[in-house]
Amino acid sequence: MYLIYLLRRDLRVSDNPIFHHLQQHSKFSHILPLYVLPPNQVEVSGFLQDPGSDSPYPQARSRLGNFWRCGPHRAKFLAESIWDMKQSLKERGSDLIIRVGRMDEVVRQILRHQEYKGKVVAVWITKDWASEEVDEERMIKRVIQQEGDGKIDWKVWDGEEMLLHDNDFATSDPAQVPDIFTSFRKSFEPLRDNIRSPYKPTSTQLLPLPSEIPAQAAPFSIPASLEEFISALRKPVEDSGFGPPILKPQGASTAHPFIGGETRAHARIVHLIVSGCISSYKDTRNGLLGEDFSTKLSAYLALGCVTARQINAYMVAFEDGKDLPDFRIRFDSEMTDFSKTQGSGKGENKGTAAVRFELLWRDYMRLCMRKYGNNLFSIEGLRGQRSNRDSKNKNDSDSSQHWSDLSSPETRTSFSRFLRGETGTGLIDASMRELALTGYTSNRTRQNCASFLAKWLGIDWRLGAEWYESMLIDYDVANNWGNWAYVAGVGNDPRGRDTDTGGRKFNPVKQAWDYDPQGQYVKAWIAEFEEVPSKRARKGERGWVDVLFQAWQVNDIFQKSTDVREGEVIDKLKKLDWVNDPLVKIKYQPRSEARTF
Ligand SMILES: Cc1cc2nc3c(=O)[nH]c(=O)nc-3n(C[C@H](O)[C@H](O)[C@H](O)COP(=O)(O)OP(=O)(O)OC[C@H]3O[C@@H](n4cnc5c(N)ncnc54)[C@H](O)[C@@H]3O)c2cc1C
């Protein structure tokens, strides 16, 4: 009696509802854990046996911008996470079988295999509410009905990847999810008391694999090593198609050097607690540079390498001064408790509370995706549906807003400059370059970039969301599209669009002065600024930091410079197109106390 377990964004053995269930009530003799790389989301031509041949699938590119849907940074993190899961399953007497193809086709092939005919009694998967995954589930169900003679149990399990549990919501009807986060949040206060514990640790021995494993169907083959696997995923998508490679400044180092997988996720959480980063998170979370200003757990969460409830369990152990939770996974921590960590045993602190708060935002974005479905991907976002539903809200949809698309050459040029970080607005350019070079950029700069594209440039915000999908290591359907819609003013932001009543439009120059007052972040990511001197401006005057934030001002600011070195830097900057011709010029003078440099 075989079970096929189809894994998607649940790449973990611990706190996994299916493994948990199997531990208690298994009627099966064997399990086939299967990960299928979906060719519509991940480019699979790197797996062709004959690299010169054509893939049977169209390239995995986005709808509007034609970007690779899974770019090189996430491709690597995904490969590492899959491999880590493979290792963990091997240690438990099983394995993760990797295949390329549409999931329903792969399932059909297996069900028709001689060794499997009549033996497969169940096919299980965990729920994913994104529309492509919902379609995928429908197609697999059809295959099971066609091939299984009514004898195969098809079950879609609750993925349990949220902080809160579905059964803890007042209603299971997604339509009842409040359109304002604060109203949602208030029904779960105090949050810490409303979070369930993760499941008990998964056994160190799992049911074995079936004796025969159906081969990967032609024309693809699956590499045997992690290095080859990474290369097969990355190689085809290394060229984004947007001009020559972006120059990496010499001193720039990624804020996200982390390796994918469940075991690394747990090691990261322990590091965050022991180093005190979790406790200081509330004060540092708007940081721009470095590994530890925020948790960098998003990519692990996005692939289900760890659950929000597991993160909470570690924080509770720290707050209560108890032993580390035991998830029985291979990770090299010698720690058994947090007793020597400052703040241990002293209850919830500002930092741990703020992490819980952000994880609740994540839940909220997921619930909004359930509520609004495919509207999340429409130009009117969540607002379109709402205004159709309720004619009183007609004005709310703000049909006066017209975003430009790539049909006009001017928009194509502006958009390509935005992607390459050549707009002439320093904070935006630094973030877009950091993103392209590393796959990560902070929440603060994400908000600014989204606002810049949608509100300053007036370009269709979905192009930005697609680019983020391509580039981000931590891409997550609900979080990405939900946040883009929110900032563009068509999501669940009560302040809405840029109207007379004051919609949310970030001023990226003010934001740079507020969050990067010495221009260190901007300088770190824009290679052309490497030689800009770190020199204070005279009191009451403008100086180099003003240039970092809006380089077109360089002429004005340094009319009378007599310093030879400065003169050389100025001359070089004046030769750059994006310095002479910025996409926008923003008038902003910082308050004198903001001008620390
Ligand atoms: C335009 C835009 C696009 C975004 N795209 C994504 C995306 O594709 N994937 C993604 O995970 N996050 C996305 N975010 C949310 C947020 O920027 C990232 O979760 C965060 O920067 C990841 O870094 P971290 O793990 O260090 O976050 P931390 O600040 O340490 O936060 C802890 C966790 O809380 C959750 N979280 C934090 N902020 C948000 C938020 N605004 N919305 C929902 N959950 C949040 C994340 O799971 C995060 O890992 C986006 C935000 C914006 C403005």
Side-chain angles (χ1 to χ4, degrees), residues 256 268 281 285 291 293-299 301-302 311 354-355 357-363 365 440-451 468-469 472 474-481 483-485 487:
H256 198 294
R268 173 78 188 148
Y281 169 78
R285 64 176 289 270
E291 292 170 20
F293 63 81
S294 65
T295 64
K296 311 291 172 0
L297 290 171
S298 48
L301 284 161
I311 300 172
V355 171
F357 179 86
E358 294 304 329
L359 291 173
L360 192 64
W361 260 112
R362 177 176 177 270
D363 278 14
M365 289 293 175
Y440 185 84
T441 190
S442 66
N443 181 57
R444 176 58 44 192
T445 57
R446 289 182 203 199
Q447 289 179 342
N448 273 282
C449 291
S451 167
Y468 268 33
E469 170 170 357
L472 280 174
D474 66 15
Y475 170 70
D476 172 282
V477 194
N479 276 6
N480 188 57
W481 288 84
N483 273 289
W484 268 93
V487 179

